[in-house]
Amino acid sequence: CATAADCLSSASILAASGHAYDRAQASGLFARASRLAPHSKEAWLGRGALAQDEGDLESASLHLSRALREEACCWRAGINLGNLAAMRGDLTSAARAYRHVLRCTPHVPQAW
């Protein structure tokens, strides 16, 4: 792909397929998109979601935190960071992440 937008488009399609080979390709495309457009919230979200699905919770947390830095009120990153914290047993951090999402985006049903 020549642009971050092209990479993100292709990566999203591949990630949705559920096939391991396609998801591996998607991971590479999300990584390329994050290099081409380091401030792309979508690239970091994609990397975080795939890492989380693969069980790499540390990488998922890093990528989702980066997405949240790029857009402070990104509810998808906030909810997933809260879920990751809860999975680690860190309920204080989970609650903080969920409260942040509720403050930023009270209109988003997923926040509730």
Side-chain angles (χ1 to χ4, degrees):
C1 52
T3 67
D6 290 342
C7 291
L8 289 172
S9 177
S10 296
S12 296
I13 292 167
L14 290 167
S17 81
H19 294 77
Y21 176 77
D22 290 342
R23 293 176 66 76
Q25 283 188 301
S27 182
L29 289 170
F30 280 127
R32 179 164 168 72
S34 68
R35 287 190 303 273
L36 291 171
H39 298 293
S40 169
K41 169 196 72 172
E42 294 300 327
W44 295 108
L45 278 172
R47 292 184 76 179
L50 285 177
Q52 186 173 356
D53 290 348
E54 293 168 3
D56 185 354
L57 304 185
E58 185 175 331
S59 291
S61 184
L62 290 171
H63 297 318
L64 293 168
S65 293
R66 177 67 186 263
L68 202 56
R69 281 195 305 274
E70 298 306 330
E71 185 179 309
C73 286
C74 176
W75 64 268
R76 289 182 294 167
I79 288 173
N80 283 322
L81 284 167
N83 293 345
L84 288 170
M87 290 167 69
R88 290 191 314 269
D90 184 354
L91 300 182
T92 301
S93 293
R96 185 178 7 200
Y98 297 141
R99 279 192 303 270
H100 174 77
V101 171
L102 286 170
R103 276 193 308 275
C104 281
T105 55
H107 61 282
V108 174
Q110 291 85 341
W112 296 95

